Amino acid sequence: MDARDRPGDLDLALAAALAGADLGLRYFARVQGLARDHKLDGSVVTEADLAVEERVREVLRAARPDDAFLGEETGELGAGLRRWVLDGIDGTLVFVEGDDRWQTLVALEEDGEVTVGVAIVPAQGQVWYAARGRGAWVADVDEGRVTGARRLRVGPPPGSLRSARTAVLPPVAMLPERYRGEVDRLVAAIEVADWRAHGALLVAAGELDLAVQVGGRVWDYAPLSLIVTEAGGVFGGDDGQPHPVTGTGVFAVDGTTAEAARGVLGKSRRPGNV
């Protein structure tokens, strides 16, 4: 492919996410019949997870054959300063229950910094995306086309952590036992909000003030972290560390709210102000 004909990285990420979403919806239509396995960490996996991730990577590799890749199911491929980070079905726990909140995630790292992030929620017909320095957006998906893009912006900070509109992910009722301790402390200090899409996306949209996800890895957080920060919010791990984050991720409208949440989670380097 001539370099002059190559799509930009954001356009390519959107095209790959749309291709993955189309395949994911086909699996979702027959999700009750899909065989379910468990990985070593106890998380659920289906053939859809692998197939969708492979489809996304196929689209990206066709246009960027020299780039590296990291996928939750497909592992690492290649090496270099440019790496695509993929999760074909993020939210398999809700996917297998026929819940429409699952998403397909695509991010581009350049020299360790996330520069492009896409989160498509296929069953809801929406795609959320950002490019570093260019803002964050949400748009509708209509027959494979992205239409009606709207700029994302976080809302004003809440008066206190207690009043923060907060999402906990995975859903509290589905949390593995090993995360109960930290989440129970947080739930006791906040009002848990319902979420129609991943809580990080709703923070970026100004619908929530805080989202806390436990058990995440780089592929879960990379695109969402950019979408939130480009919308004016903050992201970090449970000790405030920036990308890449493994374990607990905190998305918030501002640093004060994020730090208060970390204090309650019991892992902050500085005392939290609840």
Side-chain angles (χ1 to χ4, degrees):
M1 179 184 295
D2 190 298
R4 292 169 298 181
D5 299 326
R6 298 199 327 168
D9 289 327
L10 177 57
D11 288 339
L12 177 59
L14 285 167
L18 288 166
D22 179 68
L23 181 57
L25 283 172
R26 291 185 229 167
Y27 279 104
F28 192 57
R30 54 184 181 89
V31 68
Q32 299 306 322
L34 288 182
R36 308 176 192 184
D37 291 319
H38 288 82
K39 294 187 278 190
L40 293 177
D41 63 2
S43 59
V44 179
V45 64
T46 73
E47 65 178 286
D49 293 82
L50 179 60
V52 173
E53 190 172 299
E54 286 186 329
R55 176 64 180 134
V56 172
R57 190 167 73 170
E58 179 182 71
V59 173
L60 295 170
R61 281 195 77 190
R64 301 288 192 273
D66 297 327
D67 288 354
F69 294 84
L70 173 65
E72 179 177 12
E73 312 301 338
T74 53
E76 293 195 60
L77 175 69
L81 296 180
R82 287 173 51 94
R83 181 174 75 163
W84 295 92
V85 182
L86 317 174
D87 191 350
I89 305 287
D90 179 59
T92 306
L93 276 175
V94 297
F95 177 83
V96 298
E97 295 300 323
D99 188 312
D100 70 2
R101 294 176 290 180
W102 58 278
Q103 54 190 358
T104 294
L105 302 177
V106 181
L108 173 62
E109 292 176 337
E110 297 186 82
D111 200 14
E113 180 179 67
V114 183
T115 57
V116 169
V118 176
I120 189 167
V121 189
Q124 295 182 9
Q126 286 197 312
V127 60
W128 310 65
Y129 57 93
R132 184 163 296 280
R134 293 166 55 188
W137 307 80
V138 60
D140 301 318
V141 178
D142 182 15
E143 296 184 348
R145 295 180 296 109
V146 176
T147 64
R150 289 91 69 190
R151 187 77 179 256
L152 295 168
R153 192 70 191 171
V154 299
S160 67
L161 185 61
R162 173 62 68 182
S163 64
R165 302 164 297 172
T166 305
V168 175
L169 301 103
V172 173
M174 297 181 178
L175 278 173
E177 188 61 34
R178 62 185 178 278
Y179 301 121
R180 279 286 171 186
E182 62 181 309
V183 172
D184 284 350
R185 287 193 298 275
L186 182 65
V187 169
I190 57 149
E191 288 292 332
V192 178
D194 292 332
W195 41 280
R196 62 179 179 83
H198 193 289
L201 302 176
L202 302 184
V203 170
E207 296 182 31
L208 294 179
D209 305 308
L210 175 69
V212 175
Q213 180 171 346
V214 297
R217 301 286 296 276
V218 61
W219 41 76
D220 300 301
Y221 296 139
L224 301 176
S225 65
L226 184 65
I227 292 168
V228 169
T229 55
E230 283 293 316
V234 300
F235 166 75
D238 52 16
D239 282 328
Q241 69 272 32
H243 173 80
V245 168
T246 295
T248 299
V250 178
F251 306 86
V253 295
D254 69 337
T256 299
T257 303
E259 190 61 24
R262 292 186 189 109
V264 172
L265 290 166
K267 298 182 179 180
S268 177
R269 290 172 178 160
R270 301 184 298 278
N273 179 17
V274 181

